[in-house]
Amino acid sequence: MGSRGDYRYHWQSHNVKQSGVDDMVLLSKINEDAIVENLKKRYMDDFIFTYIGPVLISINPFKQMPYFGEREIEMYQGAAQYENPPHIYALADNMYRNMMIDRENQCVIISGESGAGKTVAAKYIMSYISKVSGGGPRVQVGHME
């Protein structure tokens, strides 16, 4: 689709549908009810990713979502976390940059119930890193039960 420069940051667009808050630290009250309500509101509008500070919450939609193509890779590659809507690619890009620029080892903890989408999430992270690196860094994957 063109370079990242062709896109406006999501907060600069006037036609971006807002559903709940992207980062739950911005909730007026942070309690279980407010968190559940925000996640439910976002899920009902197919926003499956939400931040709570540096943590990414992902809700398995149990259906194919159009959020994982080349356009999204271009949007998130090299972008700051809050330049685009919450996404697993933002997390993966931050990890990749820390690994390559700062030479820091990276670890991702993916937690959830059986069927929550942990394996799929891990595959999206590995796929993103593979695409942006051109097959570059060696990525080790560990699995914890």
Side-chain angles (χ1 to χ4, degrees):
M1 255 209 124
S3 70
R4 224 174 57 71
D6 295 338
Y7 304 108
R8 298 185 82 178
Y9 298 137
H10 83 289
W11 45 266
Q12 291 175 318
S13 296
H14 299 289
N15 61 354
V16 171
K17 182 178 180 182
Q18 187 65 30
S19 184
V21 295
D22 284 353
D23 189 333
M24 291 192 288
V25 299
L26 300 174
L27 290 171
S28 57
K29 290 185 178 182
I30 299 177
N31 57 40
E32 184 177 351
D33 290 339
I35 290 171
V36 169
E37 181 60 31
N38 189 63
L39 290 172
K40 181 179 178 183
K41 192 181 297 183
R42 291 179 61 75
Y43 176 79
M44 296 306 287
D45 288 332
D46 285 337
F47 291 96
I48 62 170
F49 300 113
T50 307
Y51 293 122
I52 187 157
V55 175
L56 179 68
I57 297 171
S58 173
I59 300 176
N60 189 345
F62 298 102
K63 63 182 179 182
Q64 198 67 12
M65 300 297 282
Y67 303 146
F68 304 100
E70 293 299 319
R71 178 181 180 272
E72 286 76 19
I73 290 172
E74 288 181 17
M75 279 177 59
Y76 289 91
Q77 187 174 2
Q81 179 173 332
Y82 294 102
E83 288 181 23
N84 295 303
H87 197 288
I88 200 161
Y89 287 168
L91 172 83
D93 192 72
N94 189 44
M95 285 176 33
Y96 179 71
R97 282 186 285 137
N98 287 338
M99 185 171 53
M100 299 306 292
I101 295 168
D102 299 332
R103 300 283 189 217
E104 294 177 356
N105 292 331
Q106 299 296 297
C107 174
V108 177
I109 298 172
I110 302 174
S111 177
E113 300 287 328
S114 178
K118 298 179 298 292
T119 302
V120 173
K123 287 179 182 178
Y124 280 124
I125 291 169
M126 291 183 295
S127 173
Y128 180 88
I129 292 173
S130 176
K131 286 179 182 175
V132 300
S133 70
R138 205 160 131 216
V139 179
Q140 287 187 324
V141 179
H143 182 75
M144 293 174 43
E145 291 292 327

